[in-house]
Amino acid sequence: AQKVTQAQTEISVVEKEDVTLDCVYETRDTTYYLFWYKQPPSGELVFLIRRNSFDEQNEISGRYSWNFQKSTSSFNFTITASQVVDSAVYFCALRGSGGSYIPTFGRGTSLIVHP
Amino acid sequence: EPEVTQTPSHQVTQMGQEVILRCVPISNHLYFYWYRQILGQKVEFLVSFYNNEISEKSEIFDDQFSVERPDGSNFTLKIRSTKLEDSAMYFCASSEEGLQDPRSYEQYFGPGTRLTVT
């Protein structure tokens, strides 16, 4: 069975602070895919990044960076110099390579960035 | 930029009524999905659809639910007899088909339909 844990329910920061959102996953599959999505207050889900299990290279995209650590089954997301527009709920998700196509989402972390 | 669209944005219905939620996936995508999100909770998978048939469904997707691709562009979710607990945001998503494992492709989500059952 797959599981995604986002232990931080809500994080509150002041603008320009750096913030890291944690994601820990469990899967028996040797090949799997990890995703992060952003859900702003308007409600839509916005794809941020995909990471394959066989690619442990970390990624940076502007103020966003992702740290994939296979050894600890974590795929953490850092926002550098946070801005008010970063306020949203962020979901981490996992899809395995076994027979199922069903993705597993974490419960989400609500990030509030205060001006 | 191509996007997934959903209509209506908000649907209010009475318990026991049938509702149809509509989605137009991105035009060159071949995998389609429905998810739901009860207010404040996590996103839950309902069903995936490929090649004009359901490829997988979750336990939530019982006999009250059905999906259809009535033409080349629309993808619908029908709830036959709505219950109070069906109140949620329903998201449609689509992903492309390529040479890689289809599960590796990112899903593009629509803006959602908020269903309120009274």
Side-chain angles (χ1 to χ4, degrees):
Chain A
Q2 297 178 164
K3 189 176 177 183
V4 175
T5 302
Q6 295 180 256
Q8 305 147 310
T9 306
E10 184 176 297
I11 300 175
S12 185
V13 300
V14 177
E15 213 170 14
K16 297 184 184 174
E17 282 185 37
D18 298 346
V19 58
T20 295
L21 310 181
D22 297 334
C23 173
V24 174
Y25 61 90
E26 293 176 31
T27 180
R28 291 180 185 163
D29 294 330
T30 52
T31 299
Y32 49 89
Y33 311 96
L34 294 160
F35 304 83
W36 275 95
Y37 289 89
K38 174 182 179 180
Q39 187 175 41
S42 49
E44 72 273 23
L45 283 164
V46 179
F47 165 78
L48 294 178
I49 191 172
R50 175 194 72 202
R51 172 62 66 223
N52 303 333
S53 58
F54 43 86
D55 178 6
E56 291 196 62
Q57 197 168 19
N58 291 323
E59 183 154 341
I60 298 174
S61 176
R63 295 184 298 105
Y64 294 171
S65 62
W66 290 268
N67 183 9
F68 178 35
Q69 294 280 346
K70 209 167 177 179
S71 58
T72 56
S73 298
S74 64
F75 185 42
N76 297 336
F77 172 32
T78 297
I79 302 174
T80 304
S82 59
Q83 299 176 0
V84 173
V85 293
D86 296 327
S87 296
V89 180
Y90 292 86
F91 291 95
C92 180
L94 165 72
R95 296 185 90 175
S97 61
S100 173
Y101 279 57
I102 296 177
T104 301
F105 280 75
R107 291 195 169 274
T109 296
S110 175
L111 174 65
I112 302 168
V113 182
H114 299 281
Chain B
E1 187 176 326
E3 58 183 19
V4 177
T5 59
Q6 290 185 242
T7 53
S9 56
H10 190 191
Q11 173 95 42
V12 181
T13 189
Q14 290 190 328
M15 200 166 50
Q17 295 296 306
E18 174 183 286
V19 293
I20 297 176
L21 310 183
R22 292 183 166 76
C23 168
V24 179
I26 294 174
S27 62
N28 64 334
H29 286 186
L30 296 177
Y31 288 89
F32 313 120
Y33 309 85
W34 281 102
Y35 293 83
R36 79 171 186 193
Q37 184 183 29
I38 295 171
L39 187 63
Q41 298 189 25
K42 68 176 178 179
V43 178
E44 299 174 294
F45 170 86
L46 292 177
V47 65
S48 60
F49 191 86
Y50 172 71
N51 202 23
N52 282 322
E53 60 182 23
I54 291 173
S55 49
E56 196 156 14
K57 58 184 180 180
S58 70
E59 293 176 353
I60 303 168
F61 194 89
D62 61 22
D63 292 344
Q64 292 300 311
F65 291 88
S66 62
V67 289
E68 194 177 32
R69 187 154 164 82
D71 53 46
S73 59
N74 290 284
F75 179 51
T76 62
L77 173 70
K78 182 194 290 186
I79 309 175
R80 286 190 184 81
S81 178
T82 50
K83 308 183 193 99
L84 294 176
E85 53 266 36
D86 292 327
S87 294
M89 181 75 94
Y90 288 81
F91 290 103
C92 173
S94 68
S95 63
E96 61 183 325
E97 180 184 40
L99 297 177
Q100 299 176 34
D101 181 344
R103 285 161 291 198
S104 71
Y105 289 95
E106 54 268 30
Q107 296 174 23
Y108 291 88
F109 285 78
T113 293
R114 180 165 299 285
L115 176 65
T116 302
V117 182
T118 60

